[in-house]
């Protein structure tokens, strides 16, 4: 199995998971790189994304797994990012290509940032109040599930949290959260503020994945 680390930023954050998969496969074709496909009536390429990303969330650490056709065995994985970038749209940019790597079950946490933006400036006392919110005993937030809305205590899935004023109009949440089994959508961090501190609800919130991590806090590769 081969892997490519890539960014999803700018206009790319509005590309859905399914469209992104199509774009990536098309980039391989346009670059003259043949992917391995399943056999049968309706063949599918051996490609997958480690952790599908919500629309509207940016990331510096998306991970694509793929297999090349046998005829491409001599292709150097490290050379693929440059070839693929020439065929990718604005906002999708390959950073690193490599073979093998850790097993996906070792991907346990995500380093994320959430920016809470206030058109009229950060309210007085907002940083301390939000800091206290994420260091309480529980923090229940409503989330969507396959069976409809459910309430969930998200604090057990927040390994660390730092709150600071990035500038006069922005509060920055820097957190390490669970990546899988269970997983926490970073958008719920902003929703927690809106739900429990409505007077500090931001006018806009932006989420970004910074790094994929293992249990010991090292980058997942």
């Amino acid at each position: 199995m081969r892997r490519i680390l890539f960014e999803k930023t700018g206009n790319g954050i509005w590309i859905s998971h399914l469209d992104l998969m199509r774009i990536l496969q098309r980039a391989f074709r346009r670059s003259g790189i043949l992917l391995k496909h399943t056999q049968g009536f309706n063949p599918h390429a051996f490609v997958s994304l480690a952790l599908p990303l919500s629309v509207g969330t940016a990331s510096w650490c998306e991970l694509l797994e793929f297999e090349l056709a046998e005829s491409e065995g001599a292709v150097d994985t490290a050379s693929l990012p440059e070839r693929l970038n020439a065929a990718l749209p604005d906002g999708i940019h390959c950073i690193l290509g490599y073979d093998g790597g850790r097993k996906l079950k070792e991907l346990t946490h995500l380093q994320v940032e959430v920016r809470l933006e206030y058109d009229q400036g950060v309210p007085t006392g907002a940083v301390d109040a939000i800091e206290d919110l994420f260091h309480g005993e529980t923090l229940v937030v409503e989330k969507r599930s396959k069976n409809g809305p459910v309430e969930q205590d998200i604090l057990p899935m927040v390994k660390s949290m730092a709150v600071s004023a990035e500038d006069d109009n922005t509060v920055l949440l820097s957190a390490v959260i669970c990546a899988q089994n269970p997983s926490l959508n970073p958008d719920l961090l902003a929703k927690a503020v809106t739900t429990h501190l409505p007077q500090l609800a931001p006018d806009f919130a932006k989420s970004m994945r910074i790094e994929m991590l293992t249990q010991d806090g090292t980058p997942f590769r």
Side-chain angles (χ1 to χ4, degrees):
M1 184 66 71
R2 307 189 191 209
R3 288 176 175 167
I4 283 180
L5 182 72
F6 69 96
E7 297 177 348
K8 190 168 185 267
T9 59
N11 291 330
I13 69 174
W14 307 113
I15 300 173
S16 70
H17 173 67
L18 291 178
D19 285 340
L20 178 60
M21 293 298 291
R22 296 187 187 101
I23 287 169
L24 290 168
Q25 291 178 60
R26 191 180 303 125
F28 275 95
R29 289 196 300 271
R30 289 179 174 175
S31 303
I33 306 165
L34 299 179
L35 290 167
K36 182 178 179 180
H37 283 71
T38 59
Q39 303 298 312
F41 180 74
N42 187 23
H44 295 278
F46 281 90
V47 293
S48 64
L49 291 173
L51 296 175
L53 190 66
S54 298
V55 173
T57 300
S59 176
W60 290 344
C61 59
E62 293 306 280
L63 194 62
L64 177 72
E65 287 193 332
F66 61 97
E67 290 188 27
L68 297 184
E70 292 183 6
S71 60
E72 302 284 1
V75 172
D76 179 15
T77 310
S79 69
L80 294 180
E82 183 177 0
R83 296 173 64 180
L84 291 171
N85 283 334
L88 287 169
D90 178 53
I92 308 298
H93 181 75
C94 298
I95 305 168
L96 176 69
Y98 61 97
D99 297 323
R102 295 174 181 262
K103 296 181 179 179
L104 283 180
K105 66 180 181 181
E106 297 180 59
L107 198 177
T108 59
H109 292 85
L110 291 169
Q111 179 185 352
V112 301
E113 290 182 350
V114 179
R115 285 173 170 79
L116 309 179
E117 299 181 354
Y118 299 88
D119 291 343
Q120 303 304 316
V122 175
T124 302
V127 171
D128 289 340
I130 295 171
E131 183 86 44
D132 291 341
L133 179 68
F134 284 101
H135 289 87
E137 295 184 0
T138 61
L139 187 54
V140 177
V141 177
E142 184 178 271
K143 59 176 286 188
R144 290 179 294 177
S145 72
K146 295 179 180 178
N147 299 318
V150 297
E151 291 191 337
Q152 184 176 32
D153 181 9
I154 67 171
L155 276 188
M157 293 179 282
V158 180
K159 185 176 181 181
S160 67
M161 169 67 74
V163 184
S164 61
E166 186 173 52
D167 55 43
D168 291 342
N169 295 87
T170 308
V171 171
L172 175 65
L173 311 183
S174 301
V176 174
I177 62 176
C178 289
Q180 54 182 346
N181 303 319
S183 64
L184 176 62
N185 186 328
D187 291 346
L188 292 181
L189 301 178
K191 187 172 184 179
V193 175
T194 298
T195 300
H196 294 276
L197 299 171
Q199 74 279 15
L200 300 179
D203 296 294
F204 196 72
K206 298 178 181 178
S207 300
M208 170 173 271
R209 287 180 181 174
I210 304 299
E211 186 64 89
M212 294 182 174
L213 303 172
T214 61
Q215 186 65 43
D216 62 5
T218 57
F220 177 84
R221 295 288 185 270

